[in-house]
Structures are given as structure tokens and as C-alpha cells.
Amino acid sequence: MMTYFSRQPTALLLRGIQARSQGTAAIARHANEPSITSTTANTSTTPKKPYLKPTHFNSTIYPKTPISDFSSAAPSSKLKRDDGDYYFEAHSEALFSALVDLQQQEQITNKIEEEKPRNYATARDMDLVEASYAVRDHESYDKILILMRHGEAKHNVFERRYARENGTTMEEANVHDDYPVDPMLTGKGCGQMLDLSRRTATFFNNDTGLQPDLVVVSPLRRAIQSAHIAFPTHTALTSLTNTPWVCHPGCMEQANGNKSEFVSSSSELEEMFPGVDFAMFNESLVDNGDVDGVNGREMVPLFESKIDLMGRTDEFLRWIKEREERVIVVSSHATWLQSLCAFSLQYEPESKGLEMFKKGEMRSVGLKFD
């Protein structure tokens, strides 16, 4: 008997079709004009309200230096973390220290810029209704980024349970034989991403004009899985517009001894996530001597790892600037996203860029390059 699988669960497809009118209606309300999906003829002669470009975003001024004086604030008051991520407190403080030293020590700036000059881009935080307008505003925005953090993964649950049962730290949990390596999402994590899928079905469609032109994922399985659940009708196998999916090796933290950051082999990933382009990831494995070479790198002090991280988020910004796609979805991790927003981008409002992404959180930002 022949067995086959549908390209997309029927429930998700139906939900996407039903939700599209909701996104269109929300955009219509935002613009104070009738919904374009209405079947009732509009006999009013009142002209539609034109779209007005946001006045608080200056598309001609791009600061060359970090906006904040990070040295005047404590880490806890600046770089905000997800309350459930106790492990990231030290990482946020290390990233904060790197940002402070970036302003105070010229040699760190030179270390990051020694090969290529930095790219500068102003990023304005916006909701998805605003993003659907911004995608048509080519004068003010060069790119629309949809940034998302993966949902809760199995290592998050293991760490909490291990610490509760043994009264130990995350570092001690990490050396346990049962600690999850390159973990997938938990049931709760899948639910978090399903919540996002309702929003993407509502706003990412032909009616709103906000369609992903490119999906970029970290090599870690929880980030790839999260993107597939959040964008079920835009995957490499289901997208009617052939949206490319690219695995970018620079969109993750270095493992630095943390098993949850150990990457799987390219063959495993290609089998699990068909249609994703792993060419860049494979090249990185060649450069680092296969998966064991990547996962077995010598550990470095946390501060130095954050300097390296900021260099890689800068490199990612340079990479997307050179690409032709306009609407780019990025599925990554907490500290990587925090480095991108707090360091590589000139984020508006600045306080939002300093906040750590919560599990399953999505943000949309409009970018204007210098």
C-alpha cells in the first residue's frame, strides 16, 4: 500500500486561509479605510486616507557611534533578560561589558573592524501592521527584518529540573551524561511557535503584501524547527513562491563547551529539514574540520566570546545588505539576537534593542543602511 504525506497539515492550511482576512482588516483599520476583502460595495465618495510615512523615523541621519553611554548604567538596568533564562544573566553581563569596552577602548573597535569596515543601519521597531506598510516604503526602509527566537527547548527543561533536584548550577547540569545535545523543542515550545503561526498566517500573505523573500536559520535544530512551525505555508517544501531557506552558520553562539550549542552533522540536518540550503554551513565545517572540530573548540573567556559574537552579528548585517531580498525572516537565539539589536544595529527605540528576546518572541524592524 502506498503511503504518502500531505505537504501541509490541513488544519494549518485552513487556519491560514481564514486568518488572512483578519490581517487585511487590521491593516485597513490602521489606515482608517474599508477592508479590501469586504464583499459589500463602498458607495461613499470620501477618498481613502493616504498612507503617511512615520514622522519619528529620520531616514537621512545614521549615527556612526553607539547611541548609548553604556558605562553610565548597570547591566541589570540596560540589558534585560528573559526571567526564565537564569543561564543568560552572565551572558548578558558579558555582552554589556563588551559594549562598554567598545566605547572606552579603541583597540576593541579595531579588532572588530580590522578586516572590513562596519556597516551602519538604523532599525526602527514596528508591529506587523506597520511592517506591511513599511515593505512598500522603499525610501525609508531598505530591508524589513522579522527576528524571532526559538521556542522552549528540551535543554531548558533539563536545566531547571536538574537544578531543582540537585541544588546545582547550569554548568553542572551541562556535564551530565543525559544533558540534551542540539535539542529539539518541547511540547510547550511547539505551542509557542504555533501561536506565532497564527500571526504569520494573518499578516504574511498576498493581501497584506508582507511576504518573506528569504528565511535565514541558525544551524541548531531548535531554531530551524521553530521557523518551520511559525511559517508553515512558507517552508521550502510548501511555499508557492519558492521562498529560499538558508542555514547561516554565523547565526548562533559558539558552543564554548555548552552541549546545547553543539551542532548536528549536515547529513542529519539535511535529512530532517529537506529543502533548506546548508551550503554555507557545510563550508564552515570544512573550515573548522567537520562537526567535531566545531563542537570541540577550545573554550574562551565569556568576555572574549562576546567580542567574537559582535563581530559575527556585524558580518551578518553586511551579508544581508548585499542580498537582494527585502523581507528577511531570521530564526536564531537569545544572545545572538541581543548582540544584533544592541550592537550591530542603531535600534529605535533604543531600550527595546537592549531587551533579550523571550522564548518564542517575534519582532519586526525596518532597516535603513547608511
Side-chain angles (χ1 to χ4, degrees):
M1 178 181 296
M2 181 178 294
T3 303
Y4 67 92
F5 299 92
S6 63
R7 294 177 68 188
Q8 187 60 38
T10 303
L12 286 177
L13 285 177
L14 291 175
R15 186 173 65 207
I17 294 170
Q18 294 168 351
R20 289 189 180 189
S21 61
Q22 300 173 12
T24 305
I27 294 169
R29 289 194 299 272
H30 183 77
N32 194 27
E33 63 186 41
S35 170
I36 63 176
T37 61
S38 175
T39 57
T40 304
N42 181 12
T43 58
S44 172
T45 58
T46 304
K48 293 181 179 180
K49 181 179 178 181
Y51 167 61
L52 299 178
K53 191 189 323 181
T55 57
H56 59 282
F57 179 78
N58 190 328
S59 61
T60 60
I61 302 175
Y62 316 103
K64 300 291 188 187
T65 57
I67 300 173
S68 293
D69 178 10
F70 291 101
S71 61
S72 63
S76 60
S77 67
K78 273 297 190 181
L79 291 171
K80 303 176 183 179
R81 63 185 177 91
D82 185 345
D83 290 337
D85 288 330
Y86 58 88
Y87 157 66
F88 287 108
E89 182 169 5
H91 286 256
S92 283
E93 292 181 354
L95 181 57
F96 173 86
S97 298
L99 288 167
V100 171
D101 280 12
L102 177 65
Q103 290 184 317
Q104 295 177 343
Q105 301 180 31
E106 185 177 357
Q107 63 267 29
I108 293 182
T109 303
N110 292 338
K111 181 177 181 180
I112 293 177
E113 298 187 15
E114 59 186 1
E115 294 185 0
K116 297 180 181 178
R118 292 190 64 196
N119 285 276
Y120 293 91
T122 300
R124 188 174 77 82
D125 192 84
M126 57 181 65
D127 59 33
L128 289 175
V129 172
E130 293 175 295
S132 67
Y133 281 109
V135 73
R136 292 171 279 177
D137 185 357
H138 291 259
E139 179 182 353
S140 296
Y141 305 102
D142 296 319
K143 306 280 185 183
I144 307 300
L145 290 188
I146 308 300
L147 305 174
M148 54 180 282
R149 181 187 173 188
H150 61 80
E152 181 188 73
K154 293 181 178 179
H155 70 292
N156 301 128
V157 176
F158 184 90
E159 290 165 3
R160 289 196 300 268
R161 184 176 67 247
Y162 191 87
R164 182 176 62 251
E165 294 176 354
N166 299 279
T168 57
T169 64
M170 177 269 167
E171 286 74 14
E172 291 176 271
N174 183 64
V175 300
H176 194 279
D177 291 341
D178 294 332
Y179 188 91
V181 176
D182 193 9
M184 300 285 278
L185 300 180
T186 63
K188 179 180 178 180
C190 291
Q192 291 169 333
M193 306 320 296
L194 282 171
D195 287 341
L196 283 189
S197 75
R198 297 184 180 95
R199 294 174 58 196
T200 63
T202 301
F203 287 99
F204 291 84
N205 52 67
N206 289 329
D207 293 334
T208 64
L210 187 64
Q211 290 274 28
D213 299 317
L214 172 68
V215 179
V216 185
V217 293
S218 152
L220 296 178
R221 296 189 300 175
R222 58 189 181 273
I224 309 175
Q225 182 187 13
S226 293
H228 276 81
I229 298 175
F231 288 88
T233 60
H234 296 278
T235 70
L237 297 183
T238 63
S239 173
L240 297 178
T241 56
N242 296 317
T243 305
W245 283 56
V246 174
C247 177
H248 196 301
C251 288
M252 58 172 284
E253 276 268 37
Q254 289 188 12
N256 215 23
N258 184 7
K259 293 179 184 176
S260 66
E261 310 293 332
F262 285 4
V263 295
S264 299
S265 68
S266 58
S267 60
E268 292 175 307
L269 294 175
E270 288 169 356
E271 180 179 0
M272 185 171 292
F273 303 106
V276 178
D277 183 356
F278 290 101
M280 293 183 66
F281 175 64
N282 290 333
E283 290 177 7
S284 70
L285 294 182
V286 172
D287 294 338
N288 291 279
D290 69 28
V291 170
D292 292 335
V294 174
N295 296 336
R297 286 175 179 166
E298 182 179 352
M299 293 183 62
V300 298
L302 200 54
F303 173 84
E304 292 183 18
S305 74
K306 299 311 170 188
I307 292 295
D308 176 77
L309 175 61
M310 291 190 294
R312 287 187 289 113
T313 52
D314 262 11
E315 180 59 36
F316 178 79
L317 186 63
R318 181 181 299 109
W319 181 74
I320 63 170
K321 180 182 180 180
E322 295 173 352
R323 294 190 66 94
E324 61 181 16
E325 294 90 355
R326 180 164 173 78
V327 180
I328 302 176
V329 176
V330 183
S331 180
S332 187
H333 310 270
T335 51
W336 189 93
L337 291 164
Q338 196 172 33
S339 175
L340 177 70
C341 295
F343 171 71
S344 296
L345 298 175
Q346 307 300 321
Y347 211 92
E348 298 178 0
E350 181 187 353
S351 59
K352 186 68 174 179
L354 296 167
E355 293 181 7
M356 178 170 284
F357 279 62
K358 297 181 183 300
K359 299 182 190 75
E361 181 181 357
M362 174 186 290
R363 299 181 198 171
S364 47
V365 294
L367 259 58
K368 184 67 178 181
F369 287 97
D370 187 357

